[in-house]
């Protein structure tokens, strides 16, 4: 099996063993394009100490309108291509749901795939926030679902009014921050907001949001650096509670 990663030694393990946000199912979103790529990403996550993965492909109107059937198909394709047992990784799947009309329709029809414990990974558009996110969080809770907002540190329209973070978190919407944000991969501001969320004790989950080789390389460098240990001192994570 071709492996496009140089094997790193002495990289610290992540402070959890359950990955809650990644795009490693082949060919159904902007993540892994094929099973060979997926397997290489799985091998890399194992080296970070990950033992259990909940794959979360995009479900987004007009671009990645995945369904339980398409997601299960990609999962089955990956499992059939490679004996996951050889990696000693438990692989499951859910989705990363963009809050849009497509999601609202799927929710009404009961065509969603929650994570264990009825947790549900939701995301905003990067262009504008979902117009009534507080009401949607409340509706999800009424349905017995526990929403987790993906990468809140990346929504630039929240930066000048951080009160929304406090309000959503106090409402019971949990937050999942990206390792790539803490690594400074996106930009300086998203890193600063991720660190601010850590300081305010509002980071419930960390996730790789792993899509590709480049992401894995940047995360590996972050894990080998000084900032990783500094950041991890102040987080109390629920990854392994799922």
């Amino acid at each position: 099996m071709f492996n496009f990663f140089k094997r790193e030694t002495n990289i610290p393990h992540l402070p959890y063993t359950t990955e809650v946000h990644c795009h490693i199912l082949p060919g159904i979103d902007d993540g892994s394009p094929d099973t060979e790529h997926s397997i290489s990403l799985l091998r890399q996550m194992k080296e970070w100490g990950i033992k259990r993965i909940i794959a979360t492909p995009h479900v987004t109107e007009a671009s990645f309108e995945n369904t339980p059937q398409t997601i299960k198909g990609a999962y089955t394709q990956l499992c059939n291509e490679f004996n996951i047992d050889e990696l000693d990784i438990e692989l499951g799947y859910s989705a990363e749901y963009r809050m849009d009309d497509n999601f609202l329709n799927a929710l009404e029809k009961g065509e969603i795939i929650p994570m264990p414990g009825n947790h549900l990974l939701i995301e905003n558009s990067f262009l504008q926030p979902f117009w009534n996110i507080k009401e949607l969080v409340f509706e999800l809770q009424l349905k017995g679902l526990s929403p987790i907002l993906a990468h809140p540190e990346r929504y630039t329209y929240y930066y000048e009014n951080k009160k929304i973070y406090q309000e959503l978190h106090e409402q019971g919407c949990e937050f999942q921050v990206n390792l790539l944000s803490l690594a400074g991969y996106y930009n300086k501001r998203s890193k600063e907001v991720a660190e601010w969320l850590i300081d305010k004790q509002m980071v419930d989950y960390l996730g790789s949001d792993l899509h590709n080789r480049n992401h894995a390389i940047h995360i590996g460098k972050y894990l080998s650096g000084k900032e990783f240990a500094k950041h991890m001192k102040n987080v109390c994570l629920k990854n392994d509670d799922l």
Side-chain angles (χ1 to χ4, degrees):
M1 175 61 64
F2 174 72
N3 191 340
F4 45 54
F5 299 103
K6 292 181 179 179
R7 188 171 184 83
E8 303 283 354
T9 58
N10 300 320
I11 291 182
H13 280 188
L14 291 163
Y16 52 86
T17 61
T18 299
E19 169 62 60
V20 300
H21 184 179
C22 63
H23 299 267
I24 51 88
L25 294 187
I28 59 172
D29 64 4
D30 58 346
S32 173
D34 52 47
T35 54
E36 183 177 29
H37 201 105
S38 298
I39 292 164
S40 293
L41 295 176
L42 288 169
R43 290 186 186 279
Q44 182 62 69
M45 282 192 279
K46 182 178 180 180
E47 291 190 7
W48 299 337
I50 295 298
K51 298 179 180 179
R52 178 170 171 249
I53 295 171
I54 304 171
T56 52
H58 289 291
V59 177
T60 309
E61 190 172 39
S63 54
F64 305 112
E65 293 188 351
N66 282 304
T67 65
Q69 291 73 33
T70 61
I71 295 171
K72 182 178 180 181
Y75 168 81
T76 301
Q77 178 187 354
L78 178 56
C79 291
N80 287 344
E81 181 73 17
F82 182 74
N83 185 358
I84 297 297
D85 292 340
E86 292 183 16
L87 275 180
D88 194 26
I89 287 180
E90 179 184 344
L91 181 62
Y93 63 88
S94 177
E96 179 185 12
Y97 290 97
R98 175 72 56 85
M99 291 177 280
D100 55 25
D101 287 339
N102 181 66
F103 171 62
L104 296 179
N105 290 333
L107 186 63
E108 184 177 352
K109 296 176 182 177
E111 296 178 351
I112 57 171
I113 311 169
M115 293 181 174
N118 272 349
H119 289 81
L120 199 69
L121 189 67
I122 56 176
E123 71 162 346
N124 272 314
S125 162
F126 290 112
L127 299 178
Q128 61 185 13
F130 187 72
W131 66 279
N132 62 344
I133 186 171
K134 293 179 188 175
E135 290 80 359
L136 178 57
V137 165
F138 181 66
E139 180 182 345
L140 292 173
Q141 291 169 332
L142 286 179
K143 292 179 178 293
L145 296 164
S146 299
I148 301 171
L149 184 62
H151 41 62
E153 75 280 4
R154 298 189 65 196
Y155 305 130
T156 57
Y157 39 75
Y158 286 161
Y159 290 177
E160 303 308 319
N161 181 23
K162 291 192 177 70
K163 185 179 178 182
I164 185 64
Y165 291 122
Q166 305 269 6
E167 292 172 344
L168 284 171
H169 204 257
E170 289 174 3
Q171 189 180 347
C173 182
E174 296 177 314
F175 291 165
Q176 174 265 307
V177 161
N178 282 2
L179 291 171
L180 287 164
S181 296
L182 292 171
Y185 174 80
Y186 305 113
N187 53 61
K188 180 179 178 182
R189 197 68 193 279
S190 62
K191 178 180 179 180
E192 291 174 347
V193 174
E195 292 173 333
W196 179 84
L197 289 168
I198 287 177
D199 289 341
K200 296 298 182 181
Q201 298 183 327
M202 287 192 285
V203 178
D204 303 289
Y205 304 90
L206 288 175
S208 66
D209 201 358
L210 190 64
H211 284 64
N212 53 49
R213 171 189 184 185
N214 194 38
H215 284 175
I217 291 171
H218 275 82
I219 291 173
K221 290 179 180 178
Y222 168 64
L223 298 184
S224 300
K226 295 179 181 179
E227 284 193 305
F228 169 63
K230 175 185 174 183
H231 290 150
M232 295 306 107
K233 286 180 181 179
N234 299 314
V235 293
C236 184
L237 301 173
K238 303 178 181 178
N239 289 57
D240 293 335
D241 295 336
L242 285 180

